[in-house]
Amino acid sequence: MEPPRRAQPWWSGRNPVVWVRDWVRSTPGTHIWLLVIGVTSLVIASASEGLEQFLVHRTSSNIHELNEHPLPSLLISGFWIERPASFLLYVVMFELLHANVERWVGTWRWLLTVGGAHIAATLASQELVLLAIEGHRLPRSMTHVVDIGVSYGLAAAAGLLTYRLLPPWRYGYLVAVLVFFGIPLTTGATFTDFGHAIALTMGFAAWPLTPAAAAGAGEEEAEGEPSGGGEHIP
């Protein structure tokens, strides 16, 4: 009797070009988002200093812009990064976090998680800034603070990705994530650190959207079904 064959990774033995094509096709949201960020980064990199400052502040989801243009500022702020030189770093993080989560849970569940986290973290962190201004702990100029970027969505994806890993890797990854986001939160936290904590928590809370949660629910339903052929009486 031949020993059972080990399952091979889905990329094993495949043409690299085909592998990349299939990877991008299976994660359209991640790569469309990356493409838009690449374009906006080129715009900022090629703009004059005055235009760059105008774009960065105009596309921020700060208190001023949220009051003037609430929906556009929430949406547009997620497609810009403040330092275009960091774009390649974001490419790596998108592939490691967003692409893996999107491929696992599906585009719409991924979008619901990261989009909801971006909105909630932005609104909550700016509310914190507003309370600090009203309490005279921050200057009123903070209503125009630069608040753009994709870090809230990345934090939510990092939280949700925890459930994708198997033990014991899951526990090491979880500790690393909590340390990474927790240290800034406990050592002179800014409104951005507060937003990251909210987004990460929303990623953890998105467990019901995962295939693992659906599989668990299916098993529970199957266990609850009667095994015999007679009528089931509750």
Side-chain angles (χ1 to χ4, degrees):
M1 182 176 179
E2 294 184 2
R5 296 182 178 179
R6 296 181 60 183
Q8 296 295 321
W10 68 275
W11 63 83
S12 178
R14 305 183 69 183
N15 184 306
V17 175
V18 175
W19 182 90
V20 171
R21 183 197 64 192
D22 291 346
W23 177 258
V24 172
R25 284 182 175 179
S26 67
T27 53
T30 296
H31 292 94
I32 291 173
W33 195 357
L34 263 180
L35 177 62
V36 176
I37 293 172
V39 172
T40 57
S41 297
L42 284 175
V43 170
I44 290 182
S46 59
S48 64
E49 184 176 351
L51 179 58
E52 175 186 347
Q53 291 300 312
F54 170 79
L55 290 173
V56 167
H57 283 85
R58 183 64 179 82
T59 56
S60 288
S61 51
N62 52 38
I63 295 172
H64 173 76
E65 292 298 331
L66 285 172
N67 284 332
E68 295 292 324
H69 317 96
L71 293 180
S73 65
L74 279 173
L75 177 63
I76 295 173
S77 63
F79 292 96
W80 296 76
I81 56 177
E82 193 170 356
R83 291 183 292 274
S86 303
F87 176 69
L88 290 181
L89 175 61
Y90 282 105
V91 170
V92 173
M93 291 192 294
F94 266 58
E95 297 297 345
L96 292 176
L97 298 174
H98 282 312
N100 277 294
V101 171
E102 183 182 2
R103 184 178 176 83
W104 182 45
V105 304
T107 298
W108 290 111
R109 289 184 177 90
W110 162 79
L111 184 60
L112 176 63
T113 302
V114 300
H118 171 76
I119 292 172
T122 298
L123 293 177
S125 61
Q126 289 303 312
E127 179 65 22
L128 184 66
V129 172
L130 179 60
L131 291 175
I133 292 173
E134 292 176 347
H136 305 289
R137 296 187 299 275
L138 285 177
R140 187 156 295 275
S141 60
M142 285 292 288
T143 57
H144 295 272
V145 68
V146 173
D147 186 20
I148 61 174
V150 299
S151 59
Y152 295 153
L154 283 168
L160 187 54
L161 188 62
T162 305
Y163 306 116
R164 182 72 177 92
L165 304 175
L166 297 176
W169 305 107
R170 175 183 299 171
Y171 308 125
Y173 171 83
L174 177 60
V175 169
V177 167
L178 291 176
V179 169
F180 181 83
F181 289 104
I183 288 179
L185 192 64
T186 56
T187 55
T190 65
F191 72 91
T192 304
D193 298 324
F194 179 70
H196 287 155
I198 292 175
L200 180 66
T201 302
M202 291 187 68
F204 289 143
W207 156 256
L209 299 179
T210 66
E219 290 176 1
E220 291 179 1
E221 291 178 1
E223 291 175 357
E225 293 178 357
S227 57
E231 182 179 356
H232 176 63
I233 300 176

